[in-house]
């Protein structure tokens, strides 16, 4: 088991969700969920040059189309950078 309670028992997915939610509140981030962390993880990987297939494997997606959902964020950032820095944008 990766996440265990002090007694050695596995944490349930609900308990992990509550722990993440509590840490987000304590850190002043506000409402945070495991899905938000997962989405952020994928987005950061793609922003820093990871290929889509690698991200698919890391997230455990059976279909590459599911992973492509995360690419819209990086596409938007590329467009914004182009508009900001390209002399003919």
């Amino acid at each position: 088991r990766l996440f265990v309670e002090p007694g050695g028992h596995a944490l349930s997915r609900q308990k992990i969700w509550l722990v993440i939610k509590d840490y987000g509140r304590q850190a002043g981030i506000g409402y945070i969920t495991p899905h938000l962390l997962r989405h952020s993880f994928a987005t950061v990987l793609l922003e820093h040059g990871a290929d889509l297939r690698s991200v698919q494997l890391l997230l455990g997606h059976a279909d590459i189309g599911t992973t492509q959902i995360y690419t819209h964020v990086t596409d938007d950032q590329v467009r914004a950078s182009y508009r900001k820095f390209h002399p003919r944008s």
Side-chain angles (χ1 to χ4, degrees):
R1 305 278 184 216
L2 182 59
F3 299 106
V4 294
E5 294 188 37
H9 295 84
L11 289 174
S12 67
R13 65 180 180 82
Q14 293 90 349
K15 179 65 176 177
I16 292 171
W17 187 87
L18 289 173
V19 169
I20 290 170
K21 182 179 164 184
D22 189 45
Y23 280 140
R25 189 177 58 246
Q26 288 178 26
I29 297 170
Y31 188 72
I32 189 168
T33 65
H35 180 75
L36 180 63
L37 291 177
R38 184 176 166 88
H39 185 83
S40 299
F41 171 70
T43 302
V44 168
L45 288 174
L46 290 168
E47 285 175 353
H48 288 87
D51 64 290
L52 195 59
R53 176 74 175 126
S54 297
V55 175
Q56 176 193 7
L57 292 171
L58 288 168
L59 294 178
H61 291 157
D63 183 7
I64 193 86
T66 306
T67 313
Q68 285 178 321
I69 293 167
Y70 298 103
T71 61
H72 79 277
V73 175
T74 55
D75 289 345
D76 291 346
Q77 290 172 336
V78 168
R79 284 188 193 95
S81 293
Y82 171 80
R83 284 187 215 105
K84 183 175 180 180
F85 296 110
H86 195 279
R88 295 185 184 176
S89 63

